[in-house]
Amino acid sequence: MKFINHCLPLITLMILGSCDIKKNEVSVSLKNSYKDDFYIGTALSASQIEEKDAKEDSLICKQFNAITAENIMKSMFIHPEKNKYDFTLTDKFVAFGEKNKMFIHGHTLIWHSQLAPWMEKIKDSTEMKAFMKDHITTIVSKYKGRINSWDVVNEALNEDGTLRLSVFLNTAGENYLIDAFKLAAAADPKVDLYYNDYNLEEPAKREGVIRLVKKIKAAGGKIDGVGSQGHWKLNSPSLEEIEKSILAYSALGVKVAFTELDITVLPNPWDLKGADVNQNFEGNPKMNPYPKTLPDSIQTKLAQRYADIFKLFLKHKDKISRVTFWGVHDGQSWLNDWPIKGRTNYPLLFDTKLQPKKAYDSVMELKEVKQ
């Protein structure tokens, strides 16, 4: 990971929406500051993949050296009908990464959510196994040698570490996970294969991941890493539990990636003690406390939280392969509409105007680089 890839702010290049390398230019950026530690990635929306905004394109090229498709590679988009694949945007996504010499991560092959409607109607193990073989083999083979790693299975566990009920589990049984990893490895033996999920710092779910990885390996499956999404809050999970998870997964002989990092600064209705979680929180000002701007006091808390997290990442950089933010800037974040529509959240390092926040400075200062 010692390559350098700069984005030049030349008018002609911005119009073309492309990045370039200029000899002897030193760029102050996340990817350059952490180039000897781990990849710094971001999730790209469809419009960013199509390079529709020159300023966003420039920021992506300058700051990040790894990319994940936020939505367009999920089953409902890439395989909308049984005998129809749509690779239009995925081709552009991979071409974007190749053009800019980025690490390209595929997201995701098997996931219970955002399935095409026809997939939900699969009724038995024979049909499910045929679907999985066709789906995984077709997609992974198409990008063999071009996509660097895959989320093979996404979010297959409940919070207690047991397997989530899904169309895959119901029709094919628990060995569908082993089958998925074996199929992906057969389609591209050299690509890194990950299990990806959220709340992997919680002890019960962590134990579930450990059991899952051991089972895949014992059955002869290839699994190279665990992807911890990192949808976190200002005060939780604790750094101690995050560290325990890094150590536990690394002890399995796999890489650890933080794949969808963002930090919400807003209250979660499910955290309210004694409240009726079925009530309508939309329009409740307590649930949207910062509709216009984030106060300096919260900016400072967010910056400190990111600094503490990245300090921990650096401590264990030998175990961590990649840290990817789930979005480029605050305006893009899915947290603006979840779990309540119409809220304004501020979970990333760049604001809606693409300007670096205090949180960006705090992450950069850990590497003794000043903006």
Side-chain angles (χ1 to χ4, degrees):
M1 290 184 286
K2 295 186 179 180
F3 60 88
I4 297 179
N5 173 25
H6 302 303
C7 185
L8 302 182
L10 298 176
I11 294 175
T12 53
L13 290 178
M14 289 177 69
I15 293 172
L16 291 172
S18 63
C19 300
D20 200 358
I21 298 174
K22 186 175 181 180
K23 291 182 179 179
N24 301 322
E25 181 186 358
V26 177
S27 177
V28 177
S29 66
L30 289 165
K31 68 176 184 181
N32 286 341
S33 296
Y34 286 84
K35 68 181 183 296
D36 295 324
D37 306 311
F38 36 72
Y39 286 105
I40 298 287
T42 189
L44 301 184
S45 67
S47 64
Q48 290 163 345
I49 290 166
E50 295 190 283
E51 303 175 73
K52 291 185 175 180
D53 187 308
K55 289 184 178 179
E56 284 191 10
D57 188 40
S58 179
L59 179 65
I60 293 163
C61 293
K62 178 180 179 181
Q63 297 290 342
F64 305 102
N65 55 17
I67 52 171
T68 302
E70 188 175 22
N71 275 301
I72 59 97
M73 296 179 75
K74 293 171 182 174
S75 297
M76 65 184 293
F77 300 110
I78 205 169
H79 197 176
E81 299 174 25
K82 186 172 183 178
N83 297 313
K84 178 185 176 183
Y85 287 89
D86 185 350
F87 294 115
T88 306
L89 282 175
T90 301
D91 284 347
K92 292 181 178 180
F93 166 74
V94 174
F96 182 94
E98 290 176 334
K99 176 177 64 177
N100 298 311
K101 298 180 174 61
M102 294 172 163
F103 184 95
I104 303 170
H105 181 72
H107 176 78
T108 173
L109 294 170
I110 298 296
W111 187 31
H112 68 275
S113 187
Q114 289 186 262
L115 291 171
W118 71 270
M119 298 175 187
E120 297 276 12
K121 298 175 183 177
I122 296 174
K123 296 299 183 184
D124 59 54
S125 61
T126 301
E127 189 180 0
M128 177 57 75
K129 288 181 179 180
F131 156 72
M132 287 178 57
K133 183 175 182 179
D134 176 72
H135 182 79
I136 294 173
T137 304
T138 299
I139 297 171
V140 176
S141 296
K142 177 175 172 60
Y143 298 105
K144 181 179 180 180
R146 300 178 68 196
I147 284 180
N148 303 104
S149 61
W150 280 101
D151 287 332
V152 179
V153 181
N154 195 49
E155 300 176 3
L157 296 176
N158 295 313
E159 296 309 291
D160 64 358
T162 60
L163 289 179
R164 178 196 295 270
L165 289 177
S166 67
V167 66
F168 304 107
L169 185 65
N170 291 340
T171 57
E174 61 184 33
N175 284 343
Y176 85 86
L177 291 118
I178 296 169
D179 293 342
F181 279 89
K182 286 185 175 180
L183 287 166
D188 187 351
K190 294 183 179 179
V191 73
D192 276 355
L193 305 178
Y194 280 76
Y195 173 73
N196 191 59
D197 211 330
Y198 57 87
N199 288 351
L200 297 193
E201 310 75 33
E202 299 299 325
K205 203 165 188 179
R206 179 167 64 226
E207 289 304 312
V209 174
I210 292 170
R211 289 193 299 270
L212 180 60
V213 172
K214 287 181 177 179
K215 184 173 183 178
I216 292 169
K217 287 191 168 192
K222 177 180 182 289
I223 179 168
D224 302 288
V226 170
S228 178
Q229 292 182 10
H231 297 301
W232 294 335
K233 305 173 186 177
L234 286 174
N235 298 313
S236 65
S238 69
L239 295 174
E240 290 75 17
E241 291 301 334
I242 297 173
E243 184 170 34
K244 285 179 184 178
S245 296
I246 295 171
L247 294 171
Y249 301 142
S250 179
L252 297 171
V254 298
K255 300 174 184 177
V256 180
F258 292 91
T259 57
E260 305 180 20
L261 182 60
D262 49 30
I263 299 173
T264 181
V265 299
L266 301 184
N268 186 324
W270 298 311
D271 292 336
L272 299 181
K273 305 299 182 184
D276 179 4
V277 296
N278 294 314
Q279 66 184 290
N280 187 351
F281 284 98
E282 291 186 30
N284 184 337
K286 290 183 179 179
M287 292 291 106
N288 190 29
Y290 318 118
K292 301 293 184 183
T293 187
L294 195 62
D296 284 345
S297 60
I298 308 300
Q299 291 274 21
T300 299
K301 287 183 179 179
L302 181 64
Q304 186 60 56
R305 177 66 164 159
Y306 266 116
D308 292 342
I309 288 168
F310 267 79
K311 199 176 297 180
L312 179 62
F313 290 169
L314 286 171
K315 179 181 176 182
H316 295 291
K317 64 182 182 181
D318 60 317
K319 306 170 187 68
I320 296 173
S321 57
R322 175 172 52 93
V323 175
T324 290
F325 294 90
W326 205 238
V328 177
H329 58 85
D330 287 341
Q332 178 190 352
S333 176
W334 69 291
L335 289 171
N336 289 311
D337 287 310
W338 189 89
I340 301 169
K341 294 286 187 182
R343 297 202 298 178
T344 305
N345 212 324
Y346 307 80
L348 299 168
L349 302 191
F350 297 91
D351 64 21
T352 57
K353 296 180 180 178
L354 310 184
Q355 295 302 304
K357 296 156 57 177
K358 286 183 180 179
Y360 173 87
D361 294 336
S362 71
V363 170
M364 293 292 283
E365 284 168 4
L366 293 176
K367 302 295 294 183
E368 299 180 342
V369 176
K370 303 294 182 181
Q371 174 68 5

